Amino acid sequence: MKEECMKKIKNMDVEWSYTGNDGPEHWHTLCDWFAEGAKFAYQSPIALEKESAETVNSQITFHYKKEEFTEKEFKNTFHFVPPNTESYVMFENVAYHLTDIHFHMPSEHLLSGKQYPLEFHLVHMNDAGENLVVGCLFTITEEENRFSEANHPMDWENGTHQQWFNPSIFLPEERLHYHYVGSLTTPPTKGPVKWFVFDTIQKMDQAFLNKIKEGMLAFNNRPLQPLNGRKIYFSND
């Protein structure tokens, strides 16, 4: 057991990136943990098309609350990390607690063949250690929107790296979404992960985005992965 724990800690220290010899096409070669995750057949992200999706009622409900999040820059991505697991979603009578919020530029998923400038991922986990991720895609604008400073989207504390907000600010009002089984999009890219990607494209304030992307990579999106015969579902409820 101790040997396995030490191996995992060592693997977590492995450097990876989005270009060069430690870019996405080489992730599976960087350590045994990454290699094991890459064996999962249904990798993410993927291209999502309504025409080829099966219409279902995959009801997911959100139970988010305003709480204090810690800003962290970790492994090529900016994260908002909650102090506890009070915010959660319910799917198929199972609670998945919010553990992390981060973003990718440009979007990792494609909707109807189109890539968007920004995609936020709200990562959840249930008591069995299974992941559920919600994807929210955005355009970037200087027009007023919910993230504009005048609307006070967050209680921003410069210098403290602690922000107060309700995670629901990232969710669209209209909750039409795709649902499929995939993987994490960063190493170790393990699965299965229950994915929910909203069909609504939201607007993100440029000034707000500038606050959280300072010093980040120019892009941090994993390339599209093959479907490998999996089913994609679309919920219009």
Side-chain angles (χ1 to χ4, degrees):
M1 180 65 71
K2 182 177 180 180
E3 182 179 347
E4 286 299 313
C5 289
M6 292 304 296
K7 183 184 295 185
K8 185 172 182 180
I9 291 172
K10 183 178 180 180
N11 286 335
M12 289 179 69
D13 290 335
V14 173
E15 293 296 327
W16 56 270
S17 72
Y18 288 92
T19 59
N21 293 332
D22 52 3
E25 65 271 28
H26 302 293
W27 287 348
H28 68 286
T29 69
L30 299 179
C31 71
D32 53 356
W33 192 31
F34 295 1
E36 186 65 27
K39 291 178 182 178
F40 184 67
Y42 298 151
Q43 292 287 306
S44 296
I46 59 174
L48 298 167
E49 302 273 355
K50 287 182 186 176
E51 291 74 13
S52 57
E54 180 180 336
T55 301
V56 296
N57 178 16
S58 58
Q59 188 67 41
I60 180 173
T61 59
F62 293 84
H63 305 269
Y64 288 167
K65 59 176 291 185
K66 185 175 183 179
E67 53 187 313
E68 186 179 38
F69 287 78
T70 301
E71 300 172 25
K72 292 185 178 181
E73 186 178 335
F74 178 71
K75 295 295 185 182
N76 306 303
T77 307
F78 182 96
H79 299 258
F80 288 116
V81 181
N84 50 51
T85 55
E86 293 186 24
S87 291
Y88 65 97
V89 301
M90 291 292 297
F91 179 65
E92 296 181 339
N93 297 317
V94 177
Y96 293 80
H97 300 276
L98 182 65
T99 60
D100 176 72
I101 301 172
H102 64 268
F103 67 90
H104 297 271
M105 297 181 68
S107 69
E108 296 197 303
H109 290 91
L110 267 62
L111 297 188
S112 299
K114 186 173 181 179
Q115 187 173 42
Y116 290 86
L118 176 67
E119 179 173 347
F120 268 82
H121 290 166
L122 291 86
V123 183
H124 307 74
M125 181 181 291
N126 66 15
D127 291 341
E130 299 167 328
N131 286 116
L132 181 154
V133 183
V134 175
C136 306
L137 279 65
F138 293 83
T139 59
I140 301 170
T141 180
E142 294 184 358
E143 299 174 4
E144 184 173 342
N145 56 77
R146 76 174 70 172
F147 293 95
S148 299
E149 186 173 356
N151 294 324
H152 305 290
M154 294 184 181
D155 296 331
W156 201 277
E157 297 291 339
N158 290 323
T160 67
H161 302 289
Q162 305 293 126
Q163 318 303 340
W164 282 88
F165 63 91
N166 188 318
S168 62
I169 64 171
F170 295 106
L171 305 180
E173 293 183 7
E174 191 172 31
R175 303 288 171 85
L176 307 183
H177 61 268
Y178 295 90
H179 170 49
Y180 75 96
V181 174
S183 72
L184 300 177
T185 65
T186 58
T189 67
K190 69 183 182 71
V193 173
K194 293 180 175 65
W195 273 95
F196 294 82
V197 180
F198 286 116
D199 187 48
T200 299
I201 308 303
Q202 303 179 82
K203 293 181 179 180
M204 170 68 69
D205 184 69
Q206 179 69 67
F208 178 86
L209 180 61
N210 289 343
K211 286 185 177 181
I212 62 175
K213 77 179 186 71
E214 184 177 358
M216 296 298 299
L217 298 174
F219 64 92
N220 64 341
N221 63 307
R222 187 188 192 191
L224 291 176
Q225 303 297 302
L227 287 178
N228 288 339
R230 80 187 96 173
K231 287 189 175 182
I232 311 299
Y233 303 96
F234 184 78
S235 175
N236 54 13
D237 291 337

